[in-house]
Amino acid sequence: MPSLKSLKVRITSVKSTQKITKAMKMVAAAKLRRAQMAAEAGRPYAERLNAVMASLASKVTIGPNSPKLLAGTGNDQCHLLVVATSERGLAGAFNTNIVRAARKKADELIAQGKTVKFYLIGKKGRPVIARLYPGKIVHQVDQSHIKNVAFGDAHEVADDLIARYNGGEYDVAHLFFAKFKSALLQEPTELQIIPVPLAANDTDSNAGVSAAVEYEPDEDEILAELLPRNVAVQLFRAMLENAASEQGSRMTAMDNATRNAGDMIKRLSIQYNRARQAAITTELVEIISGAEAL
């Protein structure tokens, strides 16, 4: 049985941990509301723009002079998986679920004989991917200095991805992030961002963009502006969704940790009281036995 001193030290340690987890839960809860509002505000524009681009891709006549972001490279051999995770841990299964979705996609592509590369946003996905897919990480974006995600941050990543695409480093890019549903639920999501995927005919999301398209002043000029912007907008949306999902997952994880610490403190306190009572009883027995011996 542990000594009274060791039990007391452990109780003190668990209480200190409980204070930390409780404080982290309160901080995450304070950040969650603002992050959730930003994520929800960014969804309509990103979803609508993606639907418009998909509709254009299915209706515009693809020719030799068509933008590569729309027409593609003519091949789908090399796939780049853009995995967006957080810079900090202690966020429950948030990062694990995103990496698991990317791993599943990577394994499917590899089984089909495709070449897979990884482009990481955030550092928490790197250890697992580097271990399972050695040499496949082409770049990692450090966002540790970013407090509030801005469109300029996503635009820098989009410019880099487009430059690598135009340089022939890959044929298709897939984006992985966590869509915020609630503080208890964050849904891992995959989205093809390069080239623009064709619109699905059996979905209702494109019902409002099925009309004939007329360009003013020029088709190439408009698409040259819209296609790179769509990549940046989808990345910005993913970053906003991740920010809200991270805080929601961290708040839930820290709440569970605080509760578990409370339960542990109760168990240790009972064990401490029993050990203390046993020590007192032993001392009394020794005193009584010594008095009777005299």
Side-chain angles (χ1 to χ4, degrees), residues 183-196:
L184 298 174
L185 179 61
Q186 301 84 35
E187 181 180 304
T189 303
E190 175 197 347
L191 183 66
Q192 180 178 318
I193 54 175
I194 297 176
V196 175

Side-chain angles (χ1 to χ4, degrees), residues 12-13 31 39 72 77 140 154 168 178 183 188 260 270:
T12 303
S13 176
K31 293 181 178 180
Q77 177 59 34
Q140 178 180 339
N260 292 338
I270 292 174

Side-chain angles (χ1 to χ4, degrees), residues 38-53:
E40 292 176 348
R43 283 176 191 168
Y45 180 76
E47 292 175 353
R48 185 67 171 178
L49 181 59
N50 195 47
V52 169
M53 291 293 98

